[in-house]
Amino acid sequence: MDSIEVFDSPGKGRGLRATKELLSGDVLFSEPPFAAVVFDSLADKICHSCFRRQDKLQRCGQCKFAQYCDKTCQSAGWKEHKLECGAIKAFGAIGDNFGKAPNENIRLAARIMWRLDKEGGVMSDMQMTSLDDLENHISDMPEDDLKELKVDIHNFLDYWPRNSKQHRVDDISHIFGVINCNGFTVSDQRGLNAVGVGLFPNLCLVNHDCWPNCTVILNHGKIELRALGKIELGEEVTVSYVDFLNVTEDRQRQLKMHYFFDCTCEHCKGHIKDDLKMGGKEVDGVKVSEQVTSLIEMLLVHTPQSISHQLHSPPF
């Protein structure tokens, strides 16, 4: 972590800034997930250990839910799946839950709680923040989201094994809130499709900008924060929490809805490139589709496998 440090970003709280000059493609840091799970809708198409898409997967013989490329992946994933396996099996035997597994939010929350119980909130000296210090924004949630949160907590309590350490509802709520506003979608091996969601504590410290100077990629199970261009010493490092190709109004709405803040970056204040993104016309004699393609290629240089912030955001 010799290229970045935590600092108080004006108007944003904690953030990360460069401690030396960085160039396009430079890796600022690499980080494994604190915990990650496959999306419900892709549970039978994606390996639950390496997150690769496969035509044929081997199902766990106990819970009948988790699936793997082969025995190597199953063995590699057993540490995370061991407690989960019995919990899924028991959950699927309860009344209306018969034959079902809990949703991805509940499964991710449980994996996080099991890891917290075993290792605490800081996994290594390389982790720059604890999970207790991450924002949950529960007090900012609208009524409909709070109702969904209560349902998830109720189902979590049904899912959480009685022989595991028991936790206060406030602590469980905090983890769900952290997932809601700090979770990152994880891509498959091609980097084109979101296949799961994980929590990466260091990445949670990177603030948003609608024209970011960094992007995030998946590389052999770890995320890498990479510079999109030259970053000066002392400059804040940023990523886009939403699709940067959306027009200002759409970006502002998504950021307010999912991250509870109003973006004041130059692109939002000046509605920069909104005409380009609207499509259906030429700008400076060049077709909009060609300019948009050029923008994408520029921002994804050195980023073959991108992931995007949050479950609600489309991947780059």
Side-chain angles (χ1 to χ4, degrees):
M1 299 293 182
D2 61 344
S3 61
I4 52 170
E5 65 181 3
V6 180
F7 80 115
D8 290 326
S9 178
K12 297 180 180 180
R14 291 185 302 166
L16 297 180
R17 65 184 175 191
T19 56
K20 63 181 181 181
E21 182 180 278
L22 299 162
L23 302 177
S24 179
D26 283 352
V27 177
L28 283 69
F29 66 79
S30 176
E31 180 181 24
F34 193 91
V37 297
V38 174
F39 284 145
D40 302 340
S41 58
L42 298 173
D44 60 346
K45 299 178 178 65
I46 303 296
C47 176
H48 289 221
S49 178
C50 71
F51 290 86
R52 293 175 68 89
R53 187 183 297 271
Q54 301 286 1
D55 292 333
K56 293 183 179 180
L57 294 167
Q58 298 180 12
R59 190 189 304 269
C60 174
Q62 294 298 313
C63 68
K64 311 296 184 185
F65 175 75
Q67 303 201 33
Y68 303 95
C69 298
D70 49 34
K71 291 189 180 299
T72 300
C73 274
Q74 187 170 10
S75 296
W78 180 243
K79 181 180 179 181
E80 285 76 25
H81 183 57
K82 183 178 180 179
L83 294 172
E84 174 186 72
C85 185
I88 290 175
K89 187 176 180 180
F91 181 83
I94 300 174
D96 294 339
N97 299 329
F98 186 77
K100 299 178 181 178
N103 67 40
E104 61 242 13
N105 275 4
I106 294 171
R107 289 186 286 113
L108 180 57
R111 283 196 171 199
I112 291 170
M113 297 295 279
W114 278 315
R115 188 151 198 177
L116 285 171
D117 290 344
K118 184 178 181 180
E119 302 179 26
V122 178
M123 293 190 298
S124 72
D125 293 339
M126 303 299 287
Q127 188 175 320
M128 295 180 287
T129 185
S130 72
L131 269 61
D132 288 340
D133 292 333
L134 296 177
E135 293 285 348
N136 61 48
H137 288 290
I138 290 175
S139 61
D140 299 315
M141 287 184 180
E143 188 62 32
D144 288 346
D145 287 352
L146 286 174
K147 289 180 180 178
E148 291 183 12
L149 174 64
K150 290 178 181 178
V151 171
D152 275 347
I153 292 173
H154 173 80
N155 287 330
F156 177 92
L157 294 172
D158 282 343
Y159 176 59
W160 189 252
R162 297 294 179 263
N163 60 352
S164 290
K165 178 182 177 181
Q166 300 302 302
H167 296 275
R168 299 183 306 137
V169 171
D170 284 351
D171 295 331
I172 299 169
S173 299
H174 172 71
I175 295 300
F176 276 105
V178 167
I179 291 171
N180 182 65
C181 58
N182 287 288
F184 275 72
T185 55
V186 181
S187 72
D188 60 11
Q189 70 269 29
R190 293 171 294 180
L192 299 175
N193 298 296
V195 298
V197 60
L199 188 65
F200 302 83
N202 288 343
L203 196 56
C204 295
L205 293 172
V206 183
N207 285 319
H208 165 83
D209 195 283
C210 289
W211 198 253
N213 56 20
C214 290
T215 191
V216 181
I217 70 167
L218 184 69
N219 188 4
H220 300 292
K222 296 182 179 181
I223 59 92
E224 292 179 349
L225 184 69
R226 292 200 179 195
L228 286 169
K230 185 177 179 180
I231 299 175
E232 302 288 350
L233 168 67
E235 182 180 349
E236 180 169 10
V237 299
T238 59
V239 295
S240 181
Y241 291 2
V242 296
D243 191 338
F244 64 89
L245 290 181
N246 285 344
V247 297
T248 299
E249 183 180 353
D250 290 341
R251 297 196 311 273
Q252 290 276 14
R253 183 175 62 252
Q254 292 173 20
L255 290 168
K256 189 68 172 180
M257 181 183 301
H258 301 305
Y259 305 103
F260 313 103
F261 70 87
D262 296 309
C263 184
T264 58
C265 75
E266 293 302 317
H267 276 71
C268 283
K269 289 191 291 186
H271 294 261
I272 297 173
K273 298 190 186 298
D274 276 2
D275 55 348
L276 176 70
K277 297 169 185 176
M278 289 294 289
K281 62 179 180 179
E282 291 189 355
V283 179
D284 297 331
V286 181
K287 290 183 179 179
V288 168
S289 58
E290 295 174 358
Q291 293 205 24
V292 169
T293 299
S294 178
L295 280 172
I296 295 173
E297 290 175 347
M298 182 182 71
L299 283 176
L300 295 187
V301 63
H302 301 301
T303 58
Q305 293 182 303
S306 298
I307 66 174
S308 62
H309 200 261
Q310 246 297 334
L311 287 75
H312 310 286
S313 308
F316 286 167

